[in-house]
Amino acid sequence: MGLANALRQAAGLLNQRAELRQSLISALAYQAILLTTGDGSVALLVMVVLPKFAVILAGLGTELPRSTRLILAVGAALRMAGPLTAVALLICAFAFRIWKSTESGARECGELALRVPAVGRVVHALSASQAVHAMGSLLASGVPMSTALEYAGSAAGNSAVENRILRCRDAVRNGDSLSASFAATSAVPPLVIRLARAGEETGRLSEMLIHGATLERHKAEQWIAAAIRLIEPALILAFGAAIAL
């Protein structure tokens, strides 16, 4: 019975992850189109339209403003270095993918994502919610805590968070409480630590962990929705400023 419940919980977690990914793709589609068309328009102005006007004005003996000369220089540099820059970026992206596929590279990328301002909080909340939800389901099914922590790390989706949870597993094996090991390694956000401590004191650890995971997931989804709402006006302001210049 406990195993069946754990499987249902795991299936629900996978469905939630797929729904979040699909909602992100749908929400960012318009912003991606806006970014692409805006970049193309600015590039057309800087690299094609403005140089033609500059030739006409130069033929009339008109001195170009300093800002115009600066933009013309930027456009000329882009025309000359654009293909080489594109090739260099492709090489760097390929090398980054190879490095990220290694264990150390994945862990360092995960740590870097956690340290990015604002973004790190969202990544930590999502990764921790997935790991803690899996752990709570396993504990409710009678799985030993050390084994549940090991599988919870695999469910995190972030190598840095997984490494922290595995350190929690080692600490628990040495006799530390789960909440103390969470706090010592910063494996999960403070809210989950407090709920884990309450669960240890009341004997409802698995229930409190699942509740904490749900709260962290909802919090991360709210942050993501707020950030997506800010992307469109920020892009419009940025392109408006570039065109005004």
Side-chain angles (χ1 to χ4, degrees):
M1 190 70 179
L3 179 60
N5 181 59
L7 291 175
R8 284 195 297 270
Q9 294 279 358
L13 183 62
L14 291 175
N15 286 334
Q16 291 172 2
R17 190 181 305 178
E19 290 173 0
L20 177 60
R21 184 182 297 109
Q22 186 60 42
S23 64
L24 281 175
I25 293 173
S26 300
L28 291 174
Y30 173 71
Q31 281 78 2
I33 294 172
L34 180 62
L35 180 62
T36 302
T37 55
D39 285 341
S41 300
V42 173
L44 181 66
L45 287 172
V46 172
M47 300 175 64
V48 178
V49 177
L50 190 58
K52 293 184 181 298
F53 279 101
V55 171
I56 296 173
L57 293 175
L60 296 175
T62 303
E63 183 180 359
L64 297 177
R66 182 178 301 175
S67 60
T68 305
R69 295 198 301 269
L70 175 62
I71 295 175
L72 286 172
V74 171
L78 289 175
R79 286 194 300 271
M80 293 178 60
L84 293 177
T85 302
V87 173
L89 289 176
L90 288 175
I91 294 174
C92 290
F94 183 70
F96 177 77
R97 286 178 62 89
I98 294 177
W99 174 68
K100 189 179 178 182
S101 64
T102 63
E103 182 177 352
S104 61
R107 186 168 57 251
E108 291 181 19
C109 285
E111 289 288 353
L112 180 61
L114 295 177
R115 288 195 294 267
V116 175
V119 175
R121 295 173 60 189
V122 178
V123 173
H124 195 196
L126 284 176
S127 300
S129 68
Q130 294 173 177
V132 172
H133 196 288
M135 182 182 179
S137 301
L138 291 170
L139 290 176
S141 303
V143 176
M145 184 174 293
S146 61
T147 305
L149 279 167
E150 183 175 353
Y151 285 106
S154 302
N158 181 289
S159 296
V161 175
E162 179 180 0
N163 182 60
R164 295 180 186 183
I165 291 177
L166 293 179
R167 285 159 53 198
C168 290
R169 178 201 60 186
D170 298 336
V172 167
R173 286 176 176 175
N174 291 330
D176 292 345
S177 66
L178 179 64
S179 59
S181 64
F182 276 166
T185 59
S186 300
V188 297
L191 173 62
V192 178
I193 296 174
R194 292 195 296 269
L195 289 175
R197 186 177 297 114
E200 291 170 337
E201 294 173 354
T202 60
R204 301 166 57 192
L205 180 58
S206 60
E207 181 181 344
M208 287 296 184
L209 289 176
I210 293 176
H211 181 56
T214 302
L215 291 177
E216 288 297 325
R217 180 174 59 82
H218 289 164
K219 186 191 302 181
E221 290 175 351
Q222 291 173 356
W223 287 338
I224 292 171
I228 289 174
R229 285 195 296 269
L230 291 175
I231 290 176
E232 181 180 349
L235 288 175
I236 292 174
L237 289 174
F239 290 134
I243 293 173
L245 176 63

